[in-house]
Each structure stands twice: as C-alpha cells, then as structure tokens.
Amino acid sequence: MNSRRIMAAFPSAADDQVTLANWRQHPFSEWAFRNVRELLPTANIARASTPAPLCFAPRHLDDVSFADPRGETVGVGAALRASHTDGIVVSHRGQIAFEWYAHGLTPDTPHLIFSVSKSVAGTLGGILADHGKLDPDAPVTRYIPEMEGSVYGGSCTVRHLLDMSVGIRFDEDYMARDGDVMNYRRSTGWELPDPAIPPSNLRDYLRTLRPNGAPHGETFHYVSTNTDVLGWVYERACRTSYAKILSHYLWQPMGAEHDAYITVDSRGAARVAGGICATLRDLARFGEMMRNHGISNGRQVVPTWWVDDIRQNGNAEAWSRGDLTKVFPNGNYRNKWYTLDRHEAPFAAVGIHGQWVYIDPANETVIARVSSQPLPMDLDLDHMWMRGYRAIAARLAGKA
C-alpha cells in the first residue's frame, strides 16, 4: 500500500496504528513527528503575545542543483522528496525566500526537532549566564548536589555538559535494541516499558550513569543525557520548570508566533535533549536571531558574546578525538552548536531523522528543515544536504 494513503488513515493515535512501538519508524513517523502530543505527555512552551513579523521575498530555487549520494546532479525539489523532507523554510537577509511542506505538515503545525532541541538549550544557557542565573564553569553539583556519586559529580562542570565533553560510559547507538539508548528512552517514556526491568524515570536514571575513565573536557563524546542534566541545572538555577524558563527567556522574547511544546516523563521532567516540537517558521526565526548576533525584531535576546563564543570557540583537539568526525571531519562543537568546518562560516543545529537549522552568516542565509528520514543517522543524506545548503546560500547571495 502507498505510504501516503497509509498516513492519511491516521486521524489520531487512538487507531493503534501509530504506537510507542513504531512511532519513530517510517512510514509511521510521517504522522508521528507532527503529532507527538497524541503519543506522549508534554509541557507547553508559550509563544509571544506579539510575534516577530515575517517578510516574504520569494525566490525561484528549483533549478539550484548539487550532487546526490550517487554523485548525480539533483535539484532542490527532487532532493526534498528523496530525503523524506516534511518541510523547509529558507530565509535570506531576514526575508523568507522559499517555503515547502509535505506529508501533512503546515506552517502552523509543530514538528519534532529531536537534537535541534540541544542547540535551543545551549542558546538558553547563554541568556541565563548573561542574567547572572548560571555559571558555566561551576560544578554540576553546585546546582544538583544529588548528582554526587554519578559521572556528573566531582569535577564535572556545566561547561562539560554544554560542550559534550563529559567522560561518561554511554554508547549512543540509536539502532540498538537494548543497552544504554533503550534504557534512556524508557526512562523518558519514549519507549514501551520492559516487563523484566523495574520502571524508571529520567532523573533517577541520570543518577545511575558512571564515568568511562577519561578526564572531563578532553574528548568530544556525544551523549544526550548531558543535555537533560543541563536542563535540570537550569531548573535549579531558576526555580521553575524548563518549559517556563525557555518560554520566558527565549521563546517569547524571540517573538515566536506559535506555542512549542516538549515531551516530559512520568514525573514531569522535560526531555531537554530531544523533545521539543516547534513550527518551521519559528525555527527560522530562531536561526535568523542567531545569524543576527542574538537580535530578534530589534531586541537583543541572546547576548552577542555568547553567539561569538559559539562561532569562535570550542576545542578542536577534543573534536578530533570524538565520535562524529565522519559527519564533520573538520568540525567543532560549542554550547551545543556545530561548526561544520572550522575554516568556514556556517554553523548549525542538527537532529536525527533529518532535522536542521543551518546558518550561513557570510551569505546571510538561514535554512530550517524538518524530516522523517527512515534512518536516525543517514550520512549520505546529511552530506547531500550540506552540499545543497551551500548551493542554495550561494544562489541567494548571487554567487552561483
């Protein structure tokens, strides 16, 4: 049966066609990633009372071409369809130049952004630091004393959380059917419980994690739980929930047009690492704010020094020893943002299954894209789209 007809038959999760057992699998994900609230408990992230206005200056991009995974030339439209893209918004100099939606997504529909959520959290950290709420160099246990005895105790700092340089024993294998990622997902409510394993919640689970023997700060080691601990630190620093912190300090000041939301576990703890659902246009606003040195609609939302820190700093040696060099061979990581190549300007927020906020300051371009790619990590498609983003930005800047 045609997958589009299958998805059209999903008016709600109550049909038992989309469940916790299959919701991240294609083709079910085409429906699930824009209907997460039907599947999981969530907390609301309130929008601005007056959204930042959008300006539209449509550009013809269908003839922009680049190499597909087989080395053949592909155009933007064909690449969007071939990569299971659910939607894309391209802005140039703050004006929306191109917008495209598929699989039931609309401009008003929130979509799960997976680990783009991490970059949102990293951005929020700079705002809190600027307000005197957070010390990035403080030990985690200053905020969460009960983390003593876990990998996050002792010399582990907030900076180690921000830069993914915690010396933690954890294998982030998204395809594994048991082990670290499955236990983590169960604790967040993202996976069906295992009758043989006692029920857990996210924060009890985080306290069980142990070191791998490597010093903190020396190696980039991508582990989602670091960001969930970071969100917990924010809650202790601000004495309120993560969703409310994010709304008050970032989502509303940025001028978000729509409420976002975030998944929570059985005790209400937010999945800070990957649980945000937001509309594409608000993701474009987020990216444009970062391109514009933290300014949105004339307001300094993120401190300029934090945006500069993202773009200029990071530990290249730690990255070179890390586990994502096949994705970005000459990359870097700072405050939960990727520098794609240390010799070039673009930086990005990236999530599994094809979620991107790509920012090219030199070419004044922001690209927000959400997808339901079947594989969590598909390097062929990621590299194709990195070529595509460059080609689109060059066209908009008049360089191609």
Side-chain angles (χ1 to χ4, degrees):
M1 182 183 294
N2 182 282
S3 64
R4 294 184 184 274
R5 295 214 306 262
I6 293 174
M7 298 316 298
F10 291 166
S12 75
D15 295 313
D16 291 330
Q17 292 173 298
V18 180
T19 71
L20 286 181
N22 65 22
W23 72 284
R24 295 185 313 277
Q25 300 170 15
H26 194 80
F28 307 103
S29 56
E30 286 184 2
W31 182 90
F33 290 175
R34 58 182 170 83
N35 287 282
V36 172
R37 237 173 194 163
E38 299 285 334
L39 297 161
L40 294 163
T42 63
N44 200 59
I45 300 165
R47 65 187 182 276
S49 56
T50 303
L54 294 176
C55 299
F56 294 82
R59 297 280 296 272
H60 181 74
L61 299 180
D62 288 346
D63 61 339
V64 174
S65 61
F66 41 94
D68 72 5
R70 296 169 296 183
E72 299 177 2
T73 299
V74 65
V76 170
L80 290 169
R81 293 186 292 273
S83 58
H84 305 275
T85 298
D86 298 323
I88 188 170
V89 171
V90 179
S91 70
H92 182 243
R93 296 178 177 172
Q95 298 180 316
I96 292 181
F98 183 81
E99 191 171 27
W100 183 92
Y101 295 90
H103 309 140
L105 194 69
T106 72
D108 301 326
T109 308
H111 190 286
L112 182 61
I113 62 174
F114 285 99
S115 289
V116 172
S117 305
K118 293 181 175 70
S119 300
V120 173
T123 303
L124 180 58
I127 301 171
L128 297 181
D130 203 56
H131 279 78
K133 298 284 187 180
L134 181 75
D135 179 358
D137 296 317
V140 171
T141 51
R142 176 187 296 182
Y143 301 96
I144 317 174
E146 53 268 51
M147 277 302 191
E148 197 63 68
S150 76
V151 67
Y152 299 110
S155 62
C156 185
T157 67
V158 176
R159 168 54 58 202
H160 297 138
L161 302 178
L162 284 162
D163 291 351
M164 289 289 189
S165 59
V166 178
I168 184 173
R169 187 172 69 239
F170 193 100
D171 182 12
E172 188 124 344
D173 180 356
Y174 301 116
M175 303 299 289
R177 298 310 302 164
D178 56 25
D180 293 331
V181 170
M182 284 295 289
N183 292 335
Y184 167 53
R185 284 175 177 158
R186 289 191 186 104
S187 77
T188 67
W190 278 40
E191 195 74 38
L192 289 171
D194 184 340
I197 300 175
S200 177
N201 61 79
L202 176 57
R203 290 181 176 171
D204 282 351
Y205 175 72
L206 295 175
R207 292 169 63 189
T208 71
L209 298 174
R210 296 294 180 260
N212 63 2
H216 300 310
E218 290 193 0
T219 301
F220 173 82
H221 181 27
Y222 188 92
V223 174
S224 287
T225 59
N226 297 339
T227 313
D228 296 301
V229 175
L230 184 67
W232 192 359
V233 166
Y234 294 173
E235 290 190 348
R236 287 291 176 84
C238 298
R239 299 184 180 181
T240 191
S241 73
Y242 182 76
K244 290 180 179 178
I245 297 166
L246 180 53
S247 175
H248 178 74
Y249 286 100
L250 177 56
W251 211 243
Q252 292 186 39
M254 181 186 79
E257 182 178 2
H258 298 94
D259 288 355
Y261 61 88
I262 189 167
T263 69
V264 296
D265 74 350
S266 60
R267 296 189 180 179
R271 188 170 185 194
V272 177
I276 291 177
C277 299
T279 65
L280 258 178
R281 287 181 178 177
D282 282 336
L283 283 183
R285 285 181 171 94
F286 175 62
E288 177 62 16
M289 174 188 66
M290 295 301 286
R291 184 191 74 83
N292 202 30
H293 306 286
I295 296 171
S296 182
N297 199 27
R299 178 178 181 178
Q300 190 79 51
V301 179
V302 184
T304 299
W305 64 266
W306 191 257
V307 180
D308 290 343
D309 188 56
I310 289 168
R311 295 187 57 197
Q312 299 169 10
N313 292 320
N315 187 329
E317 291 184 2
W319 178 269
S320 68
R321 289 189 287 266
D323 39 26
L324 288 182
T325 53
K326 288 184 179 179
V327 185
F328 310 123
N330 197 36
N332 220 334
Y333 193 82
R334 184 70 165 178
N335 300 327
K336 303 203 173 292
W337 284 85
Y338 294 94
T339 296
L340 306 185
D341 188 312
R342 292 188 293 275
H343 304 299
E344 298 179 0
F347 62 109
V350 185
I352 58 172
H353 296 285
Q355 326 310 318
W356 281 79
V357 177
Y358 174 91
I359 303 168
D360 184 343
N363 288 316
E364 302 174 287
T365 298
V366 172
I367 303 173
R369 177 173 154 262
V370 293
S371 307
S372 48
Q373 291 174 191
L375 294 177
M377 292 187 68
D378 191 322
L379 294 188
D380 286 341
L381 291 181
D382 284 339
H383 288 154
M384 178 187 77
W385 272 111
M386 281 190 275
R387 294 188 291 270
Y389 301 147
R390 292 188 192 102
I392 290 169
R395 168 62 63 83
L396 292 173
K399 298 177 181 178

